[in-house]
Amino acid sequence: MINAERIKEHAKVIGADGAPVGIVDRVEGSRIKLTKAAGGEGSHKGHHHFVPLDLVADVEGDTVRLSANGDVAVTFEEEESGGAVH
């Protein structure tokens, strides 16, 4: 697993396919919390998304590159629900 200290706030997160995944809000435990503005449509809009640190392939400056494609790398969790995964 990558050293989480290398992941900077506001870094871009991209999938293995080069697709943008979001912007780092902060690292929480074993996952990266993305900013609310980073994505989501419909009922997912305005909620935090998370990426497991296990999926981080490399950190290059202000870019976090994942080992999975962008469309499968993100999990959706509502902060208000106590961390229930959807």
Side-chain angles (χ1 to χ4, degrees):
M1 185 164 51
I2 198 88
N3 179 354
E5 293 178 7
R6 293 180 56 205
I7 299 171
K8 301 175 185 176
E9 289 183 15
H10 307 295
K12 293 184 290 185
V13 180
I14 59 172
D17 54 355
V21 173
I23 304 294
V24 174
D25 184 7
R26 65 179 169 263
V27 175
E28 289 187 353
S30 63
R31 60 194 184 163
I32 299 170
K33 183 178 185 180
L34 302 178
T35 61
K36 285 185 180 181
E41 298 295 328
S43 65
H44 292 279
K45 193 166 185 68
H47 297 283
H48 285 285
H49 292 79
F50 295 86
V51 176
L53 285 176
D54 290 344
L55 293 182
V56 176
D58 196 18
V59 179
E60 303 165 356
D62 289 336
T63 302
V64 177
R65 185 175 305 278
L66 304 178
S67 61
N69 287 345
D71 62 344
V72 298
V74 176
T75 60
F76 167 67
E77 296 188 22
E78 288 186 52
E79 201 172 27
E80 299 79 18
S81 68
V85 176
H86 297 273

